[in-house]
Amino acid sequence: MTNEEQRTPGEEPNGDEVPAAGSEANASGPVPQEPGEADAELTVDDILSAEQNADAAEAEGSEDADPESQYLEDLRRLTAEYANYRKRTEANAALEKQRAIAAAVTPLLSVLDDLDRAEQHGDLAEGSAFATIAQKLRASMERLGLSSFGEQGDPFDPQLHEAIAQVPVPGTEQHTVLDVIERGYRIGDVELRPAKVAVAVGADG
């Protein structure tokens, strides 16, 4: 009989017997990996994770910056709108002031017309009391912003002049103001009235 057949039950095997390969593999645990193999696999994963994290951080940073940029843009827009509003308000206020002065001054234009006629007829002798009063009245009107237009020799402009008469003048190539019947007046951008003039036209016109 073999040794195995002669062994009594419960008897331990001889110490010089070699364990089976399967039992040794089970007892030894996991087989160690070569250095660098796991590290290489983890490094690739780390790189991919790092790139994703970087992209996410950049996107988050841009989202955080967008509100601030939007606030700055809104502030610039509001500032520009306020500046435009202020300019319009100031311009409208100045125009309303001019219109108010024009309403007060318009009834006095006929007095200025009388002074012009008196001056043309020689009734405003220099140094006379009448001439002094006329000078003070005209100065007061100028301080209020009143200015006149319409002079002899000016090119005729239908936007500024009202043609009372047309006088044929030989050699005239361009319609010009031949005589001023009544001056035109304005205050700033507000026209009180156009100038009433006689217009020189060509002899064949």
Side-chain angles (χ1 to χ4, degrees), residues 2-54:
T2 62
N3 294 334
E4 190 175 299
E5 292 176 351
Q6 295 177 356
R7 185 181 307 134
T8 58
E11 183 180 358
E12 293 295 331
N14 295 332
D16 55 354
E17 293 183 1
V18 179
S23 60
E24 181 180 358
N26 292 334
S28 61
V31 178
Q33 297 179 347
E34 292 295 330
E37 291 180 0
D39 294 341
E41 184 178 355
L42 292 175
T43 301
V44 172
D45 292 340
D46 289 343
I47 291 174
L48 295 176
S49 289
E51 290 178 352
Q52 294 176 355
N53 292 337

Side-chain angles (χ1 to χ4, degrees), residues 22 25 27 74-75 80 83 85 128 142 162 178 197 203:
D74 291 343
L75 180 59
Y85 167 77
S128 64
E142 291 177 359
E162 180 181 349
L178 182 64
V197 298

Side-chain angles (χ1 to χ4, degrees), residues 118-189:
E119 187 174 17
Q120 292 174 359
H121 288 85
D123 295 336
L124 295 181
E126 186 176 356
S128 64
F130 196 16
T132 302
I133 294 173
Q135 183 178 2
K136 288 182 179 180
L137 179 59
R138 287 170 174 169
S140 298
M141 295 295 101
E142 291 177 359
R143 283 195 295 270
L144 291 174
L146 183 68
S147 60
S148 63
F149 58 91
E151 299 291 340
Q152 291 183 359
D154 288 348
F156 175 75
D157 185 352
Q159 299 294 328
L160 301 176
H161 305 134
E162 180 181 349
I164 301 300
Q166 293 184 352
V167 181
V169 177
T172 300
E173 298 180 356
Q174 182 182 11
H175 294 182
T176 58
V177 175
L178 182 64
D179 189 18
V180 180
I181 311 305
E182 289 181 354
R183 293 177 182 272
Y185 289 97
R186 68 165 62 93
I187 293 180
D189 296 329

